[in-house]
Amino acid sequence: MRVGIGYDVHKLTEGRDLILGGVLIPYEKGLLGHSDADVLVHAIMDALLGAAAMGDIGRHFPDTDPKYEGVSSIVLLRNVGKLLEENYYLIENIDATIIAQRPKLLPFINDMIQNVTETLKLSPKQVNIKATTEEGLGFTGSGEGISAQAICSLGTVANYIYDDSSQAGSGCSGCQGCHEKR
């Protein structure tokens, strides 16, 4: 098992949409950033990339590249999912926390979970998203910004291949893998 941690923070500003977990949240301010500034998805991507020892989102999607200006972070998350798949990583679970004094996010959490699970082809039982405040303390508590933290665990395809020589040749098309009984 491999574990990764992600963290992101963006400043709240007027004239921007507030997007969290790919959900447009009605609010008078949005997050400032090169992409849609979705701190939740950014933290999840960094956790996934970290667990796979593949750097961070800045390496894969630099904010100096004009093609990422205003891009949906869900699109970037889909690309991270494909990268993990190409390298034979399987997402075991994701647990994330959004830290924001306002707005109240509970009504949007299920939509956020649905967006992440559909994008990464996961079960809702593999993704947990929650929100909390900082009781008025710090930059999130004063309403200057929003942050998010995420942790994830990855497995590899090799974790699911068992060597059972007594079953040799009995797997799918003679595969030596899982020996699924038909």
Side-chain angles (χ1 to χ4, degrees), residues 40 44 91-98 109-110 112-114 116-117 122-131 149-152:
L40 173 62
I44 290 170
I91 300 168
E92 297 289 342
N93 78 303
I94 297 168
D95 184 29
T97 304
I98 305 164
I109 297 289
N110 287 336
M112 294 177 198
I113 291 170
Q114 182 177 347
V116 171
T117 58
L122 300 174
S123 158
K125 291 184 179 190
Q126 291 175 278
V127 177
N128 186 55
I129 297 172
K130 53 204 175 294
Q149 300 176 6
I151 188 165
C152 73

Side-chain angles (χ1 to χ4, degrees), residues 6 10 13 21 24 27 29 34-35 49 62 65 67 78 80 94 115 124 128 137 141 146 174:
H10 283 275
T13 187
L24 177 60
Y27 193 57
K29 294 181 179 179
H34 186 68
S35 67
L49 290 167
D65 191 332
K67 74 179 175 186
R78 186 174 297 114
V80 169
I94 297 168
N115 286 343
N128 186 55
L137 300 173
I146 295 177

Side-chain angles (χ1 to χ4, degrees), residues 19 26 104 125 156:
I19 310 285
K104 294 294 182 189
K125 291 184 179 190
T156 64

